Amino acid sequence: GDGNAGFGGGLLVRGLGLPSATLVDVSFRNCTGYSGGAVAVEGTGASLTAIDSSFTDCEALYGGCAYVGGPWGGARGSPTGLFHNVSFTRCRAYGPLNGNGGALYAHTAEI
């Protein structure tokens, strides 16, 4: 899908506990976000599994395609991002210092 948002331009998996999402054969294109142009996974126990999927022309300050991380400040989470047979094409991180993580940005996370 196409999207524009703060966290995860196309999809946000957030929360305490065990929020999760599994994506199979999904395409994200032209998505923009502050953290995770296409997808963001944030919070203790949150998880995302992407299989046979593609991310094209996505951008964000943190993780042009995907951001996987705990919340900024305060307690840190340990979210998980699993990517199997996934393509990242023309994704970029932007910002005054050229952003962070053209395709993927992991912050206090497991990849």
Side-chain angles (χ1 to χ4, degrees):
D2 299 317
N4 184 323
F7 280 83
L11 173 70
L12 171 62
V13 180
R14 173 187 277 169
L16 300 174
L18 300 173
S20 66
T22 300
L23 308 174
V24 179
D25 196 24
V26 175
S27 296
F28 291 92
R29 65 187 181 290
N30 301 316
C31 295
T32 302
Y34 176 79
S35 292
V39 298
V41 184
E42 181 186 57
T44 303
S47 68
L48 169 73
T49 300
I51 303 167
D52 299 329
S53 296
S54 64
F55 299 82
T56 306
D57 296 320
C58 297
E59 63 179 24
L61 182 62
Y62 294 95
C65 292
Y67 168 88
V68 182
W72 293 100
R76 302 279 188 220
S78 55
T80 303
L82 302 173
F83 299 88
H84 304 281
N85 195 33
V86 171
S87 65
F88 299 104
T89 306
R90 293 184 306 275
C91 296
R92 73 181 194 100
Y94 60 83
L97 300 174
N98 294 323
N100 298 280
L104 176 66
Y105 182 83
H107 169 72
T108 64
E110 295 180 33
I111 300 296

